[in-house]
Amino acid sequence: VRYWGNEIHTETFHALTDGTGALYFLKALCYRYIQLAHAGNFTKEQAARWFGLEHAGNVRDGYAENYQPGKMRAHRRIKACRLTGKLRTDGALGVTSFSISIQKLKVAAKAYDATIGEYLTAVLIQGIYNGFPLQSTKGPICIDLPVNLRPFCRTETSLNFFSIAEIVVDKKNADRTFSHILDDVKEQFAEKINKERLLQKFNFTVWGENCFLTRLLPVKTRNWLMKSIY
């Protein structure tokens, strides 16, 4: 945790939580900071009130809690095109920062009758179409979209609780317009980002972790199998 002036910054390892869980923590941090730094502006009861991340329910394993072994679906990955470019040296970190008007982004998405998520996914795909020679990249364009599972399972856990929706667009038709790409993206959002589909997917992953037979396998074999299941 770092602070400078009126800003508070946090960095969280993904082993601890996902983006939504980290945001919960950041909100709690700011909430508690205001209680302490401006104690004179609160009543005793207000100053003592918790934010809501201090209970055991906030560190429940959302996957184990919502696991339904009878409702699972194996997931096969599609071999996507691989984008090439200059590699960073081992251990190097690249950070790109953007500043964008949320209001203008809402207007742009609304013009296509799309959500911000659908619009930005289509923009990313369009960027790949424009920025890389399609004839030199084999396979479709695949975007792994992280999906917060908390709203689907009505839980507020601060631990990792997300799944991945794979948005796949065939790049054979290089002359496709942005509207065509966005229509394809919107169709896949509706098909893949729903409770039943997401639960089937993570039930399969949790099954692999809980399967007794995998615990009997040699470490190298088990590691390979777990990677395949994941």
Side-chain angles (χ1 to χ4, degrees), residues 1-229:
V1 177
R2 298 188 297 277
Y3 70 92
W4 175 259
N6 63 347
E7 295 181 358
I8 296 177
H9 300 260
T10 63
E11 281 188 38
T12 309
F13 281 102
H14 215 327
L16 292 175
T17 188
D18 51 27
T20 303
L23 188 59
Y24 284 170
F25 175 70
L26 180 58
K27 286 181 178 180
L29 200 65
C30 294
Y31 180 94
R32 188 62 181 144
Y33 170 81
I34 292 170
Q35 283 181 320
L36 294 171
H38 303 280
N41 296 331
F42 298 97
T43 64
K44 188 176 180 180
E45 290 74 19
Q46 288 174 328
R49 190 177 299 158
W50 289 358
F51 178 78
L53 292 182
E54 299 85 356
H55 303 286
N58 298 111
V59 288
R60 288 177 179 169
D61 184 340
Y63 297 103
E65 198 171 50
N66 292 278
Y67 174 50
Q68 300 174 30
K71 296 181 180 180
M72 61 183 181
R73 177 178 180 174
H75 176 68
R76 291 188 178 276
R77 298 280 295 178
I78 295 171
K79 192 169 183 179
C81 66
R82 303 191 68 171
L83 307 181
T84 58
K86 186 178 180 181
L87 297 177
R88 297 192 185 98
T89 55
D90 286 345
L93 180 67
V95 178
T96 306
S97 298
F98 296 92
S99 179
I100 190 167
S101 166
I102 295 297
Q103 292 306 318
K104 289 182 179 179
L105 187 58
K106 286 180 178 179
V107 170
K110 191 174 181 180
Y112 289 95
D113 193 27
T115 65
I116 288 178
E118 291 167 342
Y119 179 77
L120 289 179
T121 302
V123 167
L124 179 57
I125 293 170
Q126 180 74 68
I128 295 172
Y129 264 104
N130 295 343
F132 294 86
L134 299 180
Q135 64 273 17
S136 66
T137 55
K138 297 178 181 178
I141 297 172
C142 300
I143 307 296
D144 277 358
L145 194 73
V147 180
N148 175 23
L149 291 174
R150 294 168 183 82
F152 297 97
C153 299
R154 296 182 181 179
T155 179
E156 293 293 317
T157 179
S158 299
L159 302 181
N160 277 303
F161 194 40
F162 71 99
S163 187
I164 296 293
E166 193 176 45
I167 308 300
V168 182
V169 175
D170 194 335
K171 59 177 172 41
K172 290 180 181 178
N173 302 321
D175 58 345
R176 296 182 75 192
T177 66
F178 178 73
S179 294
H180 289 144
I181 294 172
L182 183 53
D183 287 341
D184 201 350
V185 168
K186 286 161 69 174
E187 186 177 321
Q188 291 187 60
F189 263 62
E191 176 192 348
K192 298 176 180 179
I193 304 179
N194 58 73
K195 184 175 181 178
E196 183 179 1
R197 185 74 175 264
L198 291 168
L199 290 184
Q200 284 178 342
K201 192 173 179 181
F202 92 67
N203 280 333
F204 178 69
T205 304
V206 177
W207 167 80
E209 294 176 357
N210 292 339
C211 181
F212 178 71
L213 291 176
T214 60
R215 302 179 190 186
L216 301 179
L217 296 172
V219 173
K220 286 187 177 180
T221 306
R222 183 170 66 242
N223 288 345
W224 172 83
L225 180 63
M226 293 307 295
K227 275 189 175 181
S228 301
I229 291 172

